[in-house]
Amino acid sequence: MSTFNVPKREEVSENNQAIFDNLNKALGFVPNLYATYAHSDTALENYLNFANAKTSLSAKEKEVVNLAVSQVNNCVYCLSAHTAIGKMNGFTDAQILELRAGKASFDNKLDALAKLAKNITENRGNTDASVLENYLNSGYTKANLIDTISLVGDKTISNYVHSTTQVPVDFPVAQPL
C-alpha cells in the first residue's frame, strides 16, 4: 500500500511535463518510478542525466550491475524493470536469475562484474580485495571500475526511491529468487 501518489503530467512542473512528453515518445509511457522522481522539480532531470551519462560499460554490462544491485537491495520495481530490459539486451530468463544472484556461469567476464556489483552493494563499498582482483584480472580496467561504482550508486538511488515510496510496479513483476 503506497502512501505516495504517482504524479500525473498536469501535477508536475513545466520542466517535468516536457520530460514526461519525451519519455512517452521514447518508451510509450512514463514509468511510475520516473514519475515519482517528478515530485521534485529537479530530481527527475538530474537522475535521468546521471543514468544516461556516458560510460565505459556496454548496455549488457549495465544490466548485469542493475540486476545484481537491485537484488541485494530487494527492489521489486527495479528487478521487474531490469528483467524486461535485460531480455531486450539478449539475456535469457535463466541468465537473468543468475545475474540477480550476483554471478554469471555463462560468461567469465560478466561473472566477475556481477560478483563485484553484488559485493560493493552488500559491503557498502568496502569491496573484498579478492573480488576486486578477480574483476581486474577478467579484463576490466580501473576506468571500468569507477563506472561500475557510479552505476551501483545510480541503481541504489532508484532502489531507495522505490523502497521508500512503494509506488506500483508497472512492468511484469519479476519472480522471486
Side-chain angles (χ1 to χ4, degrees), residues 71-171:
Q71 184 64 53
V72 171
N73 289 329
N74 198 30
C75 180
V76 69
Y77 190 99
C78 293
L79 287 169
S80 299
H82 290 288
T83 292
I85 297 167
K87 288 178 187 178
M88 290 170 27
N89 278 283
F91 290 118
T92 67
D93 288 330
Q95 290 171 333
I96 288 169
L97 291 173
E98 255 194 82
L99 293 170
R100 286 174 51 190
K103 58 188 176 185
S105 65
F106 55 91
D107 183 297
N108 286 340
K109 191 171 182 185
L110 294 181
D111 185 63
L113 177 61
K115 286 177 176 164
L116 179 77
K118 180 181 180 187
N119 190 266
I120 288 171
T121 307
E122 287 176 336
N123 296 314
R124 298 180 181 184
N126 295 307
T127 309
D128 291 344
S130 62
V131 173
L132 178 56
E133 184 178 350
N134 180 52
Y135 173 84
L136 293 170
N137 288 339
S138 73
Y140 286 106
T141 65
K142 291 177 183 174
N144 298 140
L145 173 65
I146 300 305
D147 286 343
T148 299
I149 294 167
S150 292
L151 186 54
V152 168
D154 157 1
K155 195 45 46 200
T156 298
I157 292 166
S158 283
N159 295 164
Y160 288 7
V161 168
H162 185 260
S163 293
T164 299
T165 65
Q166 293 294 303
V167 295
V169 177
D170 50 356
F171 290 89

Side-chain angles (χ1 to χ4, degrees), residues 19-32 34 48 52 77 85 88 170-171:
I19 295 170
F20 276 32
D21 293 344
N22 289 334
L23 288 167
N24 263 316
K25 283 180 201 162
L27 305 174
F29 75 113
V30 177
N32 285 343
Y34 286 175
L48 290 174
N52 295 316
Y77 190 99
I85 297 167
M88 290 170 27
D170 50 356
F171 290 89

